[in-house]
Amino acid sequence: MSDTPAIAAAKGGRFLLPSFTRTTAFRLTLLSAALFAFSSFVILALVYAATLTAGVRRADNAIAQESVTIEARFRAEGVAAANRYIVQRSVAGGEFLYLLNQPSGRRLSGNISNLPATQPDAQGRVRFTYERAPVGGQAAAEPSRAARGLISELEGGYTLFVGLDVEDEARFVTYILNAVLIASGLAVAMGIVSGAVVSRRFARRLDDINAAAREVMAGRLQTRAPRNFSGDELDDLASNFNDMLDRVERLMQRMRSAGDSIAHDLRLPLTRMRGRLEAALVEAGDLADREAALAQAISDSDELLKTFNAVLSLSRLQTGERRRAFEALDPAEIVADVAELYEPVCEETGHDFAVDAAGDLSILGDRELVAQAVANLVDNAIKYTPVGGAIMLRVRSTSTGEVEISVTDTGPGIPEEERPRVLERFVRLEASRNLPGVGLGLSLVHAIAEVHGADLTLDDGPGGVDGSGPGLRIALRFPQHHP
Amino acid sequence: MRILIMEDDKQVAAFMCRGLREAGHVADAAHDGEEGLNMARDGQYDVLVVDRMMPRMDGLSVIETLRAEGAATPVLILSALGEVDDRVDGLKSGADDYLVKPYAFAELLARVEVLARRRDPGSVQTQLSVGDLEMDLLARTVKRGGEDVLLQPREFRLLEFLMRHAGQVVTRTMLLEKVWDYHFDPQTNVIDVHISRLRSKIDKPFGSTMLHTVRGAGYRLQA
């Protein structure tokens, strides 16, 4: 299908225009220039119309007055008196035009020769043009001049015409009209020029930002848009654009290191499992040996599944979807439930376990997630605290009005410089690499805290049970909820 | 019993069918939602295992359609998503249980068997008994061989769940979900410790074991 000629022309025309005419800045400038031109045109047109009407009315009034004067003289003193008056006024060189015709239509007196050719209206008013008689021997052929007049029928069949030259007024009005048109044209032209200038400047700065975006798309992630620090909208755009790129870069780095860590955490158990299965297959062990190898393989794969599930829930948490299911929760109840779940475990592992939960507090959150965070902290405390140590679960309201859930243990603690790192995904401190469990516990707690707008802080505990370290106190501080 | 698997991954479906057959069940597989819906309408299945994401018709729509037609067959829904909201959506659509991928086959088998032998929810029981173990749900008392056994409230609920599913394998995850209402995975085997506490009350003093460990799967209460 081919385009109609009109469309083809329109398309072609678009390409012929200079590129700056397609910019927003140019269009806006042009639009404002056009609006300005249009509004000044309207205002001046109104002035023009008002001037014109006023001039016409003044002329008509003067004509009517003069006509009435002559008519009165005609009625009172007869045609001769009227005739004399007209002759006197004509000779005096006033601005009026006169003509008095006999009933036969012959000219009796006056300073024009014929009645205007144009048709008068119902009141006898008429618009016409005439040529002024040469004055004082000047044979200059003057162009026809605009005039208005009034034709009245007198008694006895006489016809009286009184007119007035309005050429000067008409010319003045025409000057105004021309000025209006020229000013409007100039406004549009200046609009085009200033639009081009503004849009060039605007486009150059946008081009810089666009170029930076293209660089990033081409894979050079560290590229940033140039800023002029003027604080205007474009500078703001560049600044936001750069901040966004910073965040994207950070996220990508985090993802890459998370990917590396996942691979690392999964490779070890997978290799171990493969080794066991291979050994069971190759070595001529008895049935019991093979069964033991299979059972171990199942438990290895369970460990892998746990890691997968933890990664999945961590990813889901970090998208923040869970927040919409928040409700008012009693932290003491949640802590009591988790304590009830772990108390027998502590008894078996030989840890002293204590709970101190203040009532009448409320937080906004997801019961399951908060319970999971507390369970994870208790899990960790059990794992890292030597036998005979103590674990304490506490809920209290802080002096600043927050609700604090804390887990304190008497284990080795975490050195201060390592604390920020343990909250990241998969990081497990080198010293504890040989302990079972995935390194996701604390990062999951951290993610849960973030979703709830809670602070997660790590401090030294009350001292290690056997001088092995300072102990650890991990606290989650939730904003107090007032139902 | 007869089980219908709706799962678009043919390898996974074949693996599930084989496992269920080895456990003594009849298992069929459908590979998309429409096929599954038609098979579920025609066949007399005891349990449906439905994957949430399937071509042509997703799992939730299949379940909603079946429920709207009045079918009461128990449904276990499988999902790769696995967060609370997904579970709520799944259960709202009419599914009876929810299992998150990746899962252990033993977990699937245990849940399917529990679903298939689910008692009529309309009849309210006040007494449970397995062998010489008796539970009075109104008086909140437990007796074994006529002797009183004193249990903590949570131990009571744990035993109640085990007695309601006597003879069936229940997994640790099932216990954590149904008795504690937690859907996350504690890293320590907390359930084992609670079970061993329960054992020390209902088994040890009586010299015979009712609460068995099923290796690689979970526990079974049996007379």
Side-chain angles (χ1 to χ4, degrees):
Chain A
M1 292 295 266
S2 67
D3 291 328
T4 66
I7 291 172
K11 280 184 178 171
R14 204 181 157 82
F15 282 110
L16 290 177
L17 288 172
S19 64
F20 70 79
T21 59
R22 285 199 298 272
T23 66
T24 313
F26 178 76
R27 284 177 194 173
L28 285 178
T29 316
L30 197 62
L31 184 67
S32 72
L35 278 176
F36 175 73
F38 177 72
S39 53
S40 54
F41 177 81
V42 167
I43 290 169
L44 291 174
L46 286 174
V47 170
Y48 166 78
T51 314
L52 199 60
T53 330
V56 165
R57 197 174 301 132
R58 208 180 56 241
D60 283 354
N61 283 343
I63 291 166
Q65 219 165 1
E66 185 71 4
S67 182
V68 165
T69 309
I70 297 171
E71 250 182 89
R73 198 157 290 208
F74 176 85
R75 264 200 300 278
E77 302 172 38
V79 68
N83 205 16
R84 205 161 46 243
Y85 178 82
I86 289 171
V87 170
Q88 273 170 8
R89 299 280 286 187
S90 299
V91 169
E95 48 187 341
F96 284 104
L97 303 170
Y98 303 98
L99 183 66
L100 184 58
N101 279 355
Q102 287 177 334
S104 63
R106 255 196 64 212
R107 175 169 174 269
L108 197 62
S109 66
N111 49 10
I112 54 170
S113 46
N114 293 306
L115 280 175
T118 43
Q119 195 61 37
D121 68 9
Q123 280 88 48
R125 274 194 289 256
V126 63
R127 292 174 60 184
F128 66 102
T129 58
Y130 77 105
E131 264 126 64
R132 206 186 251 177
V135 181
Q138 276 182 9
E142 262 206 80
S144 61
R145 299 175 60 93
R148 299 181 64 83
L150 181 65
I151 299 168
S152 354
E153 299 297 328
L154 303 184
E155 281 165 41
Y158 291 93
T159 305
L160 171 68
F161 170 82
V162 179
L164 193 58
D165 185 307
V166 293
E167 177 66 22
D168 290 341
E169 266 152 1
R171 244 177 233 175
F172 173 67
V173 163
T174 312
Y175 290 148
I176 292 180
L177 188 64
N178 286 341
V180 168
L181 290 175
I182 290 167
S184 303
L186 270 178
V188 172
M190 277 161 62
I192 291 174
V193 171
S194 62
V197 171
V198 168
S199 67
R200 278 258 166 82
R201 286 177 51 114
F202 200 73
R204 203 161 36 236
R205 293 179 60 194
L206 275 178
D207 277 348
D208 290 342
I209 298 175
N210 272 326
R214 271 191 294 273
E215 282 285 293
V216 171
M217 279 189 282
R220 285 177 285 280
L221 255 186
Q222 62 289 347
T223 315
R224 293 294 178 268
R227 291 187 53 189
N228 63 2
F229 298 97
S230 62
D232 65 4
E233 300 94 323
L234 279 182
D235 189 46
D236 216 28
L237 175 66
S239 157
N240 283 334
F241 180 78
N242 289 347
D243 288 352
M244 179 190 78
L245 284 176
D246 286 346
R247 190 163 159 70
V248 168
E249 206 182 356
R250 257 203 315 279
L251 276 174
M252 281 185 65
Q253 251 161 21
R254 228 154 84 181
M255 256 167 70
R256 201 164 356 194
S257 70
D260 290 349
S261 320
I262 293 174
H264 186 271
D265 267 41
L266 296 185
R267 194 171 50 206
L268 193 69
L270 274 173
T271 314
R272 210 167 44 206
M273 186 164 87
R274 189 184 184 285
R276 275 206 193 96
L277 289 171
E278 199 175 55
L281 189 68
V282 173
E283 285 162 19
D286 57 16
L287 198 62
D289 285 345
R290 292 197 173 182
E291 262 182 21
L294 282 176
Q296 190 57 50
I298 287 175
S299 121
D300 285 351
S301 63
D302 282 348
E303 209 53 48
L304 285 167
L305 289 183
K306 270 187 192 174
T307 308
F308 273 121
N309 282 333
V311 173
L312 276 178
S313 42
L314 197 53
S315 310
R316 283 285 294 250
L317 255 183
Q318 282 168 346
T319 60
E321 274 174 52
R322 289 283 280 264
R323 215 162 299 159
R324 60 195 155 94
F326 278 10
E327 54 187 347
L329 304 171
D330 178 357
E333 198 181 303
I334 291 176
V335 165
D337 280 350
V338 174
E340 191 261 349
L341 185 66
Y342 279 92
E343 185 267 322
V345 181
C346 288
E347 193 173 292
E348 191 155 278
T349 53
H351 290 105
D352 187 28
F353 188 63
V355 185
D356 175 16
D360 277 341
L361 294 173
S362 181
I363 58 173
L364 204 59
D366 181 313
R367 170 192 172 268
E368 178 95 12
L369 287 179
V370 178
Q372 187 173 8
V374 177
N376 263 310
L377 293 178
V378 176
D379 251 335
N380 269 340
I382 292 174
K383 213 174 292 167
Y384 295 117
T385 306
V387 174
I391 295 162
M392 163 106 174
L393 247 172
R394 194 164 180 214
V395 181
R396 67 182 186 109
S397 115
T398 65
S399 53
T400 49
E402 290 159 308
V403 175
E404 184 187 80
I405 301 178
S406 62
V407 178
T408 309
D409 66 46
T410 57
I414 298 175
E416 197 160 349
E417 63 275 13
E418 304 237 38
R419 281 174 196 163
R421 230 162 51 82
V422 297
L423 302 180
E424 286 166 24
R425 268 191 192 191
F426 286 103
V427 173
R428 206 181 325 158
L429 300 185
E430 217 40 59
S432 61
R433 273 274 171 203
N434 52 348
L435 284 170
V438 286
L440 282 165
L442 270 184
S443 45
L444 200 59
V445 175
H446 190 213
I448 290 172
E450 274 185 353
V451 169
H452 286 81
D455 283 332
L456 178 63
T457 52
L458 281 71
D459 285 303
D460 282 346
V465 59
D466 49 5
S468 59
L472 183 64
R473 179 176 181 277
I474 302 187
L476 282 164
R477 286 188 176 193
F478 294 86
Q480 167 99 257
H481 173 62
H482 303 281
Chain B
M1 65 191 85
R2 290 173 57 89
I3 298 153
L4 175 62
I5 312 274
M6 298 187 208
E7 161 70 71
D8 56 327
D9 185 326
K10 293 191 176 160
Q11 242 181 319
V12 172
F15 164 75
M16 280 159 63
C17 283
R18 201 170 65 230
L20 289 168
R21 282 177 197 136
E22 272 166 18
H25 304 299
V26 176
D28 297 327
H31 301 303
D32 67 58
E34 281 181 13
E35 188 190 1
L37 183 61
N38 288 330
M39 285 172 76
R41 279 172 176 153
D42 297 343
Q44 294 292 309
Y45 292 103
D46 299 303
V47 179
L48 308 176
V49 177
V50 180
D51 186 21
R52 201 173 151 153
M53 305 281 197
M54 281 187 294
R56 295 159 78 85
M57 192 170 184
D58 71 271
L60 293 190
S61 311
V62 171
I63 299 168
E64 273 162 12
T65 311
L66 282 171
R67 290 289 183 257
E69 290 169 2
T73 321
V75 175
L76 170 65
I77 195 154
L78 301 176
S79 163
L81 307 172
E83 283 291 332
V84 166
D85 293 347
D86 299 324
R87 189 168 51 237
V88 169
D89 288 348
L91 298 183
K92 252 190 222 156
S93 74
D96 301 273
D97 201 0
Y98 193 96
L99 189 55
V100 179
K101 293 179 180 178
Y103 51 83
F105 180 74
E107 186 77 39
L108 175 81
L109 181 63
R111 284 175 190 255
V112 165
E113 293 187 339
V114 163
L115 276 183
R117 283 184 229 155
R118 196 176 47 166
R119 296 220 168 75
D120 180 7
S123 74
V124 179
Q125 285 174 298
T126 58
Q127 297 275 335
L128 299 173
S129 70
V130 179
D132 59 352
L133 190 61
E134 287 165 55
M135 175 177 273
D136 186 326
L137 291 166
L138 291 180
R140 314 293 289 175
T141 56
V142 176
K143 283 188 166 88
R144 182 162 178 197
E147 269 184 61
D148 279 331
V149 178
L150 282 176
L151 296 180
Q152 303 285 334
R154 188 74 68 180
E155 290 165 345
F156 187 89
R157 283 175 63 186
L158 180 58
L159 183 61
E160 179 190 341
F161 186 80
L162 287 164
M163 287 179 80
R164 283 186 188 277
H165 300 97
Q168 302 169 18
V169 175
V170 295
T171 66
R172 293 174 179 84
T173 317
M174 282 162 78
L175 290 174
L176 202 61
E177 282 180 13
K178 312 293 184 205
V179 179
W180 276 270
D181 194 23
Y182 287 148
H183 299 88
F184 57 85
D185 200 359
Q187 290 162 34
T188 317
N189 266 335
V190 281
I191 300 300
D192 292 355
V193 183
H194 282 270
I195 288 286
S196 86
R197 267 204 178 181
L198 186 60
R199 260 189 196 133
S200 73
K201 291 186 176 176
I202 63 160
D203 276 351
K204 244 191 201 152
F206 302 95
S208 71
T209 305
M210 287 182 75
L211 187 44
H212 303 272
T213 302
V214 181
R215 206 163 62 174
Y219 302 98
R220 182 170 50 219
L221 185 73
Q222 209 158 28

Coordinates of all heavy atoms in Angstrom, one line a residue, chain A residues 83-116:
Chain A
N83 N -30.7 78.1 0.1 CA -29.7 78.1 -1.0 C -28.5 79.0 -0.6 O -27.4 78.7 -0.8 CB -30.4 78.6 -2.3 CG -29.6 78.2 -3.5 OD1 -28.8 77.3 -3.4 ND2 -29.9 78.8 -4.6
R84 N -28.9 80.2 -0.1 CA -27.9 81.2 0.3 C -27.0 80.6 1.4 O -25.7 80.7 1.3 CB -28.6 82.4 0.9 CG -27.7 83.7 0.7 CD -28.6 85.0 0.8 NE -29.6 84.9 1.9 CZ -30.9 85.0 1.7 NH1 -31.4 85.0 0.5 NH2 -31.7 85.0 2.8
Y85 N -27.6 80.0 2.3 CA -26.8 79.4 3.4 C -25.8 78.4 2.9 O -24.6 78.4 3.3 CB -27.8 78.7 4.4 CG -27.1 78.0 5.6 CD1 -26.7 78.7 6.7 CD2 -26.8 76.6 5.5 CE1 -26.0 78.1 7.7 CE2 -26.2 76.0 6.6 CZ -25.8 76.7 7.7 OH -25.2 76.1 8.7
I86 N -26.3 77.5 2.0 CA -25.4 76.5 1.4 C -24.2 77.1 0.7 O -23.0 76.7 0.8 CB -26.2 75.5 0.5 CG1 -27.1 74.7 1.4 CG2 -25.3 74.7 -0.3 CD1 -28.1 73.9 0.6
V87 N -24.5 78.1 -0.1 CA -23.5 78.8 -0.9 C -22.4 79.4 0.0 O -21.2 79.2 -0.1 CB -24.1 79.8 -1.8 CG1 -23.0 80.7 -2.5 CG2 -24.9 79.1 -2.9
Q88 N -23.0 80.1 1.1 CA -22.0 80.7 2.1 C -21.1 79.7 2.7 O -19.9 79.9 2.8 CB -22.8 81.4 3.2 CG -23.3 82.8 2.9 CD -24.3 83.4 3.9 OE1 -24.5 82.7 4.9 NE2 -24.8 84.5 3.6
R89 N -21.7 78.6 3.1 CA -20.9 77.6 3.8 C -19.9 76.9 2.9 O -18.8 76.6 3.3 CB -21.9 76.5 4.4 CG -22.9 77.0 5.4 CD -22.3 77.2 6.8 NE -22.0 75.9 7.5 CZ -21.6 75.8 8.7 NH1 -21.4 77.0 9.4 NH2 -21.5 74.7 9.3
S90 N -20.3 76.7 1.6 CA -19.4 76.1 0.7 C -18.2 77.0 0.4 O -17.1 76.5 0.4 CB -20.2 75.8 -0.7 OG -21.2 74.9 -0.4
V91 N -18.5 78.2 0.2 CA -17.4 79.2 -0.1 C -16.5 79.3 1.1 O -15.3 79.4 1.0 CB -18.1 80.6 -0.5 CG1 -17.0 81.6 -0.5 CG2 -18.7 80.4 -1.8
A92 N -17.1 79.3 2.4 CA -16.3 79.4 3.6 C -15.3 78.2 3.7 O -14.4 78.3 4.5 CB -17.2 79.5 4.8
G93 N -15.5 77.2 2.9 CA -14.5 76.1 2.9 C -14.6 75.2 4.1 O -13.6 74.7 4.5
G94 N -15.8 75.0 4.6 CA -16.0 74.0 5.7 C -15.7 72.6 5.3 O -15.5 72.4 4.1
E95 N -15.9 71.7 6.2 CA -15.6 70.4 5.8 C -16.8 69.6 5.3 O -16.7 68.5 4.9 CB -15.0 69.6 7.1 CG -15.8 69.8 8.3 CD -15.2 69.3 9.6 OE1 -14.3 68.4 9.4 OE2 -15.6 69.7 10.7
F96 N -18.0 70.3 5.4 CA -19.2 69.6 4.9 C -19.3 69.6 3.4 O -18.7 70.5 2.7 CB -20.4 70.3 5.5 CG -20.6 70.0 7.0 CD1 -20.3 70.9 8.0 CD2 -21.2 68.7 7.3 CE1 -20.5 70.6 9.3 CE2 -21.4 68.4 8.6 CZ -21.1 69.3 9.6
L97 N -20.0 68.6 2.9 CA -20.3 68.6 1.5 C -21.8 68.8 1.4 O -22.6 68.3 2.2 CB -20.0 67.2 0.9 CG -18.5 66.7 1.1 CD1 -18.4 65.2 0.7 CD2 -17.6 67.6 0.2
Y98 N -22.2 69.7 0.4 CA -23.6 70.0 0.3 C -24.1 69.7 -1.1 O -23.3 69.9 -2.1 CB -23.9 71.5 0.6 CG -23.4 71.9 2.0 CD1 -22.2 72.5 2.2 CD2 -24.3 71.7 3.1 CE1 -21.8 72.9 3.4 CE2 -23.9 72.1 4.3 CZ -22.6 72.7 4.5 OH -22.2 73.1 5.7
L99 N -25.4 69.5 -1.2 CA -26.1 69.5 -2.6 C -27.6 69.7 -2.3 O -28.2 69.0 -1.5 CB -25.8 68.1 -3.3 CG -26.4 68.0 -4.7 CD1 -25.7 69.0 -5.6 CD2 -26.3 66.6 -5.2
L100 N -28.1 70.7 -3.0 CA -29.6 70.9 -3.0 C -30.1 70.8 -4.4 O -29.7 71.5 -5.3 CB -29.8 72.3 -2.4 CG -31.3 72.7 -2.2 CD1 -32.0 71.7 -1.2 CD2 -31.4 74.1 -1.7
N101 N -31.0 69.8 -4.6 CA -31.5 69.6 -5.9 C -33.0 70.1 -6.0 O -33.7 70.0 -5.1 CB -31.5 68.1 -6.3 CG -30.1 67.6 -6.7 OD1 -29.2 68.5 -6.9 ND2 -30.0 66.4 -6.9
Q102 N -33.3 70.6 -7.2 CA -34.7 71.0 -7.5 C -35.6 69.7 -7.7 O -35.0 68.6 -7.9 CB -34.7 71.8 -8.8 CG -34.2 73.2 -8.6 CD -34.1 74.0 -9.9 OE1 -34.1 73.4 -11.0 NE2 -34.2 75.3 -9.8
P103 N -36.9 69.9 -7.6 CA -37.8 68.7 -7.8 C -37.5 68.0 -9.1 O -37.6 66.8 -9.2 CB -39.2 69.3 -7.8 CG -39.1 70.6 -7.0 CD -37.7 71.1 -7.2
S104 N -37.0 68.8 -10.1 CA -36.7 68.1 -11.4 C -35.4 67.3 -11.3 O -35.2 66.5 -12.2 CB -36.5 69.2 -12.4 OG -35.4 70.0 -12.1
G105 N -34.7 67.4 -10.2 CA -33.4 66.7 -10.1 C -32.2 67.5 -10.5 O -31.1 67.2 -10.4
R106 N -32.5 68.8 -11.0 CA -31.4 69.6 -11.3 C -30.7 70.2 -10.1 O -31.4 70.5 -9.1 CB -31.9 70.8 -12.2 CG -31.6 70.5 -13.7 CD -31.8 71.8 -14.5 NE -30.9 72.9 -14.1 CZ -31.1 74.2 -14.1 NH1 -32.3 74.6 -14.5 NH2 -30.3 75.1 -13.7
R107 N -29.4 70.4 -10.2 CA -28.6 70.9 -9.1 C -28.9 72.4 -8.9 O -28.9 73.2 -9.9 CB -27.1 70.7 -9.4 CG -26.2 71.2 -8.3 CD -24.8 70.7 -8.6 NE -23.8 71.3 -7.8 CZ -23.1 72.4 -8.1 NH1 -23.3 73.0 -9.3 NH2 -22.2 72.9 -7.3
L108 N -29.3 72.8 -7.7 CA -29.6 74.2 -7.4 C -28.3 74.8 -6.8 O -27.9 75.9 -7.3 CB -30.7 74.2 -6.4 CG -31.4 75.6 -6.3 CD1 -32.1 75.9 -7.6 CD2 -32.5 75.5 -5.2
S109 N -27.7 74.2 -5.8 CA -26.5 74.7 -5.2 C -25.7 73.5 -4.6 O -26.3 72.4 -4.5 CB -26.8 75.8 -4.2 OG -27.5 75.2 -3.1
G110 N -24.5 73.8 -4.1 CA -23.8 72.8 -3.4 C -22.3 72.7 -3.9 O -22.0 73.3 -4.9
N111 N -21.5 71.9 -3.2 CA -20.1 71.8 -3.6 C -19.8 70.5 -4.2 O -18.6 70.2 -4.4 CB -19.1 72.2 -2.5 CG -19.5 71.4 -1.2 OD1 -20.3 70.5 -1.2 ND2 -18.9 71.8 -0.1
I112 N -20.8 69.7 -4.4 CA -20.6 68.5 -5.2 C -21.6 68.5 -6.3 O -22.6 69.1 -6.2 CB -20.6 67.2 -4.4 CG1 -21.9 67.0 -3.6 CG2 -19.4 67.0 -3.5 CD1 -22.1 65.7 -3.0
S113 N -21.3 67.7 -7.4 CA -22.2 67.8 -8.6 C -23.3 66.9 -8.6 O -24.4 67.2 -9.0 CB -21.3 67.6 -9.8 OG -20.5 66.5 -9.6
N114 N -23.1 65.6 -8.0 CA -24.2 64.6 -8.1 C -24.4 64.0 -6.7 O -23.5 64.0 -5.8 CB -23.8 63.5 -9.0 CG -23.7 64.0 -10.4 OD1 -24.7 64.6 -11.0 ND2 -22.6 63.8 -11.0
L115 N -25.6 63.4 -6.5 CA -25.9 62.6 -5.3 C -25.0 61.4 -5.4 O -24.6 60.9 -6.5 CB -27.3 62.2 -5.3 CG -28.3 63.2 -4.8 CD1 -29.8 62.7 -5.0 CD2 -28.1 63.6 -3.4
P116 N -24.5 60.9 -4.3 CA -23.7 59.7 -4.3 C -24.4 58.6 -5.0 O -25.7 58.4 -4.9 CB -23.5 59.3 -2.8 CG -23.9 60.6 -2.1 CD -24.8 61.3 -2.9

